[in-house]
Amino acid sequence: MATELEELLGFLSSPSPSLRKAAVDIVRDYTGSDDGLQSLGKYSTVVVPSLSRLLAEKKEVSEPAAQALVNLSQNADIANKMVEAGIIKTAMDILYKQDADITQLLVMLLVNLTQLDAGIESLLQSGDEKLLGLYVMKLVRSFCTSSDERKGGDPYEHVASVLVNISKKEVGRKLLLDPKRGLLKQIIRQFDSTNPLRKKGVAGTIRNCCFEAENQLQNLLLMSEFLWPALLLPVAGNKIYSQQDTSKMPLELASALSIEREPVADPEIRIQALESIYLIVLQEGGRRAFWSVNGPRILQIGYEDEEHPKVMEAYEQVGALLIQESGFEDSSSQPSS
């Protein structure tokens, strides 16, 4: 005989809309507890496809189905089964084939699934050379064209976390750094967003991509106009810079540092910016580019204002590298440790 839970899951496929609605609400509530997740995990081969089919229905059914899937995807075993069942394709199809009322939930589902290697491969479509990167290009376009200030929230804000996840893998970094696609250049420009989730995701994505600096330095420096402000403004401190200092900088940095500005309060963003700079200046060409924008002077002034111990360590790591590689004659321009 079927258990109560098996009967409930059967109702997710009922021809009756009211029964499907009642069943999906109960399943969604089940996923809100550890016990419920554990129980449903035993039936993942039934629950995952059943909920996936409901994503294409009206919002009153698709929303609780998406909420249930987001909760279930926090369990790595269930998330793996979701990826195997092709749920990333399902989510992307619904995002872009109809006016989805559940955009934010679908993107949150992608965040959870791309914490797995299999999920990253599925989103990148790395098994098909012709389709490689198509999903990511769509997400980046939506991320960069949707407003973070419109009514009803910011439906694509969690794409920032998806980008961090895929850039942890070399294939993801190469895709984002491909100059023909120009994806990282678009992403970097979102660093100006007032949305902290977007800002943090962009900083983390840049940092991950800078791990390719040894082989892709030129592709990184092709974006200098946007890259240096995104990396240096968060760690430039709060002072208004003198004309003597700004005269040695490109206009986009000089203009920003000549006026009062909002400091970047999140220490993790400041650390990620400094780690990115470190990875770039490890390369000789990166150091030359950094000196050409008066980067060492910016770090010296920023370091004087910094109070967070871990951020100070990150400044000192860059400063020590610059002194070591440039010789002591330039050491007056470095943060002291």
Side-chain angles (χ1 to χ4, degrees), residues 181-210:
R181 297 178 191 261
L183 296 177
L184 187 60
K185 186 176 180 179
Q186 296 174 56
I187 293 162
I188 289 174
R189 295 165 81 167
Q190 287 297 303
F191 192 77
D192 291 337
S193 170
T194 55
N195 181 322
L197 182 61
R198 281 176 173 258
K199 211 173 186 76
K200 194 168 188 172
V202 171
T205 302
I206 296 170
R207 173 191 170 273
N208 289 346
C209 286
C210 284

Short mmCIF file of all heavy atoms in Angstrom, two decimals, residues 181-210:
data_model
loop_
_atom_site.label_atom_id
_atom_site.label_comp_id
_atom_site.label_asym_id
_atom_site.label_seq_id
_atom_site.Cartn_x
_atom_site.Cartn_y
_atom_site.Cartn_z
N ARG A 181 33.16 37.38 -26.79
CA ARG A 181 31.85 37.41 -26.13
C ARG A 181 31.69 38.68 -25.29
O ARG A 181 30.58 39.18 -25.13
CB ARG A 181 31.69 36.18 -25.24
CG ARG A 181 31.70 34.86 -26.00
CD ARG A 181 31.59 33.70 -25.03
NE ARG A 181 31.83 32.41 -25.63
CZ ARG A 181 30.89 31.56 -26.04
NH1 ARG A 181 29.62 31.88 -25.91
NH2 ARG A 181 31.20 30.39 -26.56
N GLY A 182 32.78 39.16 -24.71
CA GLY A 182 32.75 40.40 -23.92
C GLY A 182 31.90 40.33 -22.66
O GLY A 182 31.36 41.35 -22.20
N LEU A 183 31.79 39.13 -22.07
CA LEU A 183 30.89 38.96 -20.92
C LEU A 183 31.42 39.65 -19.66
O LEU A 183 30.67 40.35 -18.97
CB LEU A 183 30.65 37.47 -20.64
CG LEU A 183 29.94 36.70 -21.76
CD1 LEU A 183 29.84 35.23 -21.41
CD2 LEU A 183 28.55 37.27 -22.00
N LEU A 184 32.70 39.46 -19.36
CA LEU A 184 33.24 40.05 -18.12
C LEU A 184 33.18 41.57 -18.17
O LEU A 184 32.90 42.22 -17.15
CB LEU A 184 34.67 39.57 -17.85
CG LEU A 184 35.24 40.00 -16.50
CD1 LEU A 184 34.41 39.45 -15.34
CD2 LEU A 184 36.69 39.56 -16.34
N LYS A 185 33.39 42.13 -19.34
CA LYS A 185 33.31 43.60 -19.48
C LYS A 185 31.92 44.10 -19.11
O LYS A 185 31.76 45.12 -18.43
CB LYS A 185 33.66 43.99 -20.91
CG LYS A 185 33.75 45.49 -21.15
CD LYS A 185 34.21 45.75 -22.58
CE LYS A 185 34.33 47.23 -22.86
NZ LYS A 185 34.80 47.48 -24.23
N GLN A 186 30.88 43.37 -19.56
CA GLN A 186 29.51 43.75 -19.20
C GLN A 186 29.28 43.60 -17.70
O GLN A 186 28.65 44.44 -17.06
CB GLN A 186 28.51 42.85 -19.94
CG GLN A 186 28.51 42.98 -21.45
CD GLN A 186 27.60 41.96 -22.08
OE1 GLN A 186 26.41 41.89 -21.77
NE2 GLN A 186 28.13 41.13 -22.98
N ILE A 187 29.80 42.50 -17.14
CA ILE A 187 29.59 42.20 -15.71
C ILE A 187 30.25 43.25 -14.84
O ILE A 187 29.67 43.73 -13.87
CB ILE A 187 30.13 40.79 -15.38
CG1 ILE A 187 29.30 39.71 -16.09
CG2 ILE A 187 30.15 40.54 -13.88
CD1 ILE A 187 30.00 38.36 -16.19
N ILE A 188 31.48 43.63 -15.18
CA ILE A 188 32.23 44.61 -14.37
C ILE A 188 31.46 45.91 -14.23
O ILE A 188 31.46 46.54 -13.17
CB ILE A 188 33.62 44.88 -14.99
CG1 ILE A 188 34.54 43.66 -14.82
CG2 ILE A 188 34.29 46.08 -14.32
CD1 ILE A 188 35.88 43.80 -15.52
N ARG A 189 30.76 46.30 -15.27
CA ARG A 189 30.04 47.58 -15.23
C ARG A 189 28.90 47.57 -14.22
O ARG A 189 28.41 48.63 -13.82
CB ARG A 189 29.55 47.93 -16.63
CG ARG A 189 30.71 48.17 -17.59
CD ARG A 189 30.30 48.17 -19.03
NE ARG A 189 29.74 49.44 -19.44
CZ ARG A 189 29.54 49.76 -20.71
NH1 ARG A 189 29.85 48.93 -21.67
NH2 ARG A 189 29.01 50.93 -21.01
N GLN A 190 28.50 46.38 -13.78
CA GLN A 190 27.46 46.27 -12.75
C GLN A 190 28.01 46.55 -11.35
O GLN A 190 27.26 46.57 -10.38
CB GLN A 190 26.82 44.89 -12.79
CG GLN A 190 25.91 44.68 -13.98
CD GLN A 190 24.73 45.63 -13.96
OE1 GLN A 190 23.96 45.67 -13.00
NE2 GLN A 190 24.56 46.42 -15.01
N PHE A 191 29.32 46.77 -11.26
CA PHE A 191 29.90 47.07 -9.95
C PHE A 191 29.38 48.39 -9.39
O PHE A 191 29.42 48.63 -8.19
CB PHE A 191 31.44 47.09 -10.02
CG PHE A 191 32.08 47.10 -8.67
CD1 PHE A 191 32.15 45.95 -7.91
CD2 PHE A 191 32.59 48.28 -8.13
CE1 PHE A 191 32.72 45.95 -6.65
CE2 PHE A 191 33.16 48.30 -6.87
CZ PHE A 191 33.23 47.13 -6.13
N ASP A 192 28.88 49.25 -10.26
CA ASP A 192 28.33 50.55 -9.83
C ASP A 192 26.94 50.41 -9.20
O ASP A 192 26.38 51.38 -8.71
CB ASP A 192 28.23 51.51 -11.01
CG ASP A 192 29.59 51.95 -11.50
OD1 ASP A 192 30.55 51.88 -10.71
OD2 ASP A 192 29.70 52.33 -12.68
N SER A 193 26.38 49.20 -9.24
CA SER A 193 25.03 49.00 -8.71
C SER A 193 24.95 49.35 -7.22
O SER A 193 25.91 49.18 -6.48
CB SER A 193 24.62 47.53 -8.91
OG SER A 193 23.42 47.24 -8.22
N THR A 194 23.78 49.81 -6.81
CA THR A 194 23.55 50.08 -5.38
C THR A 194 23.14 48.80 -4.64
O THR A 194 23.03 48.81 -3.42
CB THR A 194 22.45 51.14 -5.21
OG1 THR A 194 21.27 50.69 -5.90
CG2 THR A 194 22.88 52.48 -5.78
N ASN A 195 22.90 47.73 -5.39
CA ASN A 195 22.48 46.46 -4.79
C ASN A 195 23.71 45.73 -4.25
O ASN A 195 24.59 45.33 -5.01
CB ASN A 195 21.77 45.62 -5.86
CG ASN A 195 21.26 44.29 -5.33
OD1 ASN A 195 21.90 43.64 -4.53
ND2 ASN A 195 20.10 43.88 -5.81
N PRO A 196 23.80 45.51 -2.92
CA PRO A 196 24.99 44.88 -2.35
C PRO A 196 25.24 43.46 -2.85
O PRO A 196 26.39 43.04 -2.97
CB PRO A 196 24.73 44.89 -0.84
CG PRO A 196 23.27 45.16 -0.67
CD PRO A 196 22.82 45.90 -1.88
N LEU A 197 24.17 42.73 -3.18
CA LEU A 197 24.34 41.37 -3.68
C LEU A 197 24.99 41.39 -5.06
O LEU A 197 25.90 40.60 -5.35
CB LEU A 197 22.97 40.67 -3.75
CG LEU A 197 22.96 39.21 -4.22
CD1 LEU A 197 23.77 38.33 -3.29
CD2 LEU A 197 21.52 38.69 -4.29
N ARG A 198 24.56 42.31 -5.92
CA ARG A 198 25.19 42.46 -7.24
C ARG A 198 26.66 42.84 -7.08
O ARG A 198 27.54 42.27 -7.71
CB ARG A 198 24.47 43.55 -8.04
CG ARG A 198 23.15 43.10 -8.67
CD ARG A 198 22.45 44.25 -9.38
NE ARG A 198 21.29 43.76 -10.10
CZ ARG A 198 21.24 43.56 -11.42
NH1 ARG A 198 22.29 43.84 -12.16
NH2 ARG A 198 20.16 43.09 -11.99
N LYS A 199 26.91 43.83 -6.24
CA LYS A 199 28.27 44.36 -6.06
C LYS A 199 29.23 43.26 -5.58
O LYS A 199 30.33 43.10 -6.09
CB LYS A 199 28.22 45.50 -5.04
CG LYS A 199 29.25 46.59 -5.24
CD LYS A 199 28.97 47.73 -4.29
CE LYS A 199 29.89 48.89 -4.55
NZ LYS A 199 29.53 49.69 -5.72
N LYS A 200 28.76 42.50 -4.59
CA LYS A 200 29.60 41.43 -4.02
C LYS A 200 29.84 40.33 -5.05
O LYS A 200 30.95 39.80 -5.16
CB LYS A 200 28.91 40.86 -2.78
CG LYS A 200 29.81 40.00 -1.91
CD LYS A 200 29.12 39.75 -0.58
CE LYS A 200 30.03 39.07 0.40
NZ LYS A 200 29.42 38.99 1.74
N GLY A 201 28.79 40.00 -5.82
CA GLY A 201 28.94 38.96 -6.83
C GLY A 201 29.90 39.37 -7.93
O GLY A 201 30.72 38.56 -8.40
N VAL A 202 29.83 40.64 -8.35
CA VAL A 202 30.74 41.14 -9.38
C VAL A 202 32.18 41.09 -8.87
O VAL A 202 33.09 40.64 -9.57
CB VAL A 202 30.35 42.57 -9.81
CG1 VAL A 202 31.43 43.17 -10.72
CG2 VAL A 202 29.00 42.57 -10.52
N ALA A 203 32.40 41.53 -7.61
CA ALA A 203 33.75 41.51 -7.03
C ALA A 203 34.30 40.08 -6.98
O ALA A 203 35.47 39.84 -7.31
CB ALA A 203 33.72 42.13 -5.63
N GLY A 204 33.45 39.13 -6.57
CA GLY A 204 33.89 37.74 -6.49
C GLY A 204 34.18 37.15 -7.85
O GLY A 204 35.13 36.36 -8.02
N THR A 205 33.39 37.53 -8.86
CA THR A 205 33.59 37.02 -10.22
C THR A 205 34.89 37.57 -10.80
O THR A 205 35.67 36.82 -11.42
CB THR A 205 32.40 37.41 -11.11
OG1 THR A 205 31.19 36.88 -10.54
CG2 THR A 205 32.56 36.86 -12.52
N ILE A 206 35.16 38.87 -10.60
CA ILE A 206 36.41 39.45 -11.08
C ILE A 206 37.59 38.74 -10.43
O ILE A 206 38.56 38.35 -11.10
CB ILE A 206 36.49 40.96 -10.76
CG1 ILE A 206 35.40 41.73 -11.51
CG2 ILE A 206 37.87 41.52 -11.12
CD1 ILE A 206 35.26 43.19 -11.06
N ARG A 207 37.51 38.54 -9.12
CA ARG A 207 38.61 37.88 -8.40
C ARG A 207 38.88 36.50 -8.98
O ARG A 207 40.03 36.12 -9.24
CB ARG A 207 38.27 37.77 -6.91
CG ARG A 207 39.27 36.95 -6.11
CD ARG A 207 38.70 36.66 -4.72
NE ARG A 207 39.52 35.69 -4.02
CZ ARG A 207 39.36 34.37 -4.12
NH1 ARG A 207 38.45 33.86 -4.93
NH2 ARG A 207 40.14 33.57 -3.43
N ASN A 208 37.83 35.72 -9.18
CA ASN A 208 38.02 34.38 -9.71
C ASN A 208 38.64 34.42 -11.11
O ASN A 208 39.52 33.63 -11.43
CB ASN A 208 36.68 33.64 -9.75
CG ASN A 208 36.19 33.26 -8.36
OD1 ASN A 208 36.92 33.32 -7.39
ND2 ASN A 208 34.92 32.88 -8.26
N CYS A 209 38.19 35.36 -11.93
CA CYS A 209 38.73 35.47 -13.29
C CYS A 209 40.20 35.89 -13.28
O CYS A 209 40.95 35.53 -14.20
CB CYS A 209 37.90 36.46 -14.12
SG CYS A 209 36.29 35.79 -14.62
N CYS A 210 40.61 36.61 -12.26
CA CYS A 210 42.02 37.04 -12.17
C CYS A 210 42.97 35.87 -11.90
O CYS A 210 44.18 36.02 -12.06
CB CYS A 210 42.18 38.13 -11.11
SG CYS A 210 41.57 39.74 -11.64
#
